[in-house]
Amino acid sequence: MDIRYVCSDEEQRTDRVLGGVAERAGRDGIALAGTVQVADPGTPQEKCHIILALLPDGLRHDISFPLDPDVPGCRLDPEALEEAALVVNRRLPAAQALVVNKFGKQEATGRGLVPAIGDACERGLPVLVGVAPQWLDAFLAFAGGNAKPLPADEEQVLAWLHGACRAAAA
């Protein structure tokens, strides 16, 4: 089982790194399943408005409740996240690796993309997870000491992914 994670204190850095890695890995011929968080150009960026690109094709999936910008609190729609997770699970058999944009509140309670992570590990696929600092302890407990950190650097993460996919195929 090869689980790696990226955790950055810089807001949105992890999203940028994972998005760049997924794009480049796809161009390099690595078949990915999973999610990356995207920001659509020209769309106002609201706090907690979450749009996922489902890998490998980048299909957009909005997992936010449509609330007024004045409404405080999290906008995550757990049902929409579960729908995205089902798509990811269906795509795992054709994948060489899994990318999960975020281990968050839903994953900390065993929901969200946790089943996909478990399935990918059972299949021997490399797993790359984005983790926000506030969820790092929960993620490390979930991984049971099996996860290793990667720097929030696209080149280093991509190099690991290439090597991990080669090792898994061998």
Side-chain angles (χ1 to χ4, degrees):
M1 170 167 50
D2 194 354
I3 301 177
R4 303 295 171 108
Y5 67 94
V6 175
C7 182
S8 174
D9 289 327
E10 184 184 327
E11 191 172 340
Q12 299 177 351
R13 180 162 178 80
T14 299
D15 293 334
R16 287 191 307 270
V17 169
L18 295 184
V21 166
E23 182 179 327
R24 291 174 63 188
R27 284 195 313 255
D28 293 346
I30 296 175
L32 298 176
T35 58
V36 292
Q37 188 167 337
V38 295
D40 287 326
T43 305
Q45 298 305 305
E46 299 173 25
K47 186 167 178 65
C48 290
H49 190 153
I50 308 162
I51 300 174
L52 299 179
L54 304 181
L55 302 173
D57 59 7
L59 175 70
R60 299 290 202 253
H61 193 83
D62 190 337
I63 61 168
S64 301
F65 283 118
L67 301 175
D68 289 334
D70 300 346
V71 176
C74 185
R75 301 175 186 284
L76 176 69
D77 179 347
E79 288 182 22
L81 176 59
E82 294 299 328
E83 290 169 9
L86 289 173
V87 173
V88 170
N89 283 334
R90 285 194 304 267
R91 293 177 175 190
L92 269 177
Q96 293 172 275
L98 173 68
V99 176
V100 174
N101 68 298
K102 181 180 180 185
F103 185 94
K105 184 176 183 179
Q106 295 298 306
E107 288 74 22
T109 60
R111 296 188 297 260
L113 289 157
V114 163
I117 295 170
D119 192 12
C121 289
E122 286 178 15
R123 293 173 184 272
L125 300 178
V127 176
L128 175 61
V129 181
V131 182
Q134 69 266 29
W135 295 107
L136 183 57
D137 290 340
F139 171 72
L140 293 174
F142 161 77
N146 293 312
K148 297 178 183 160
L150 287 169
D153 177 85
E154 192 174 313
E155 296 298 326
Q156 292 182 57
V157 175
L158 186 63
W160 165 79
L161 183 61
H162 276 279
C165 287
R166 280 192 301 274

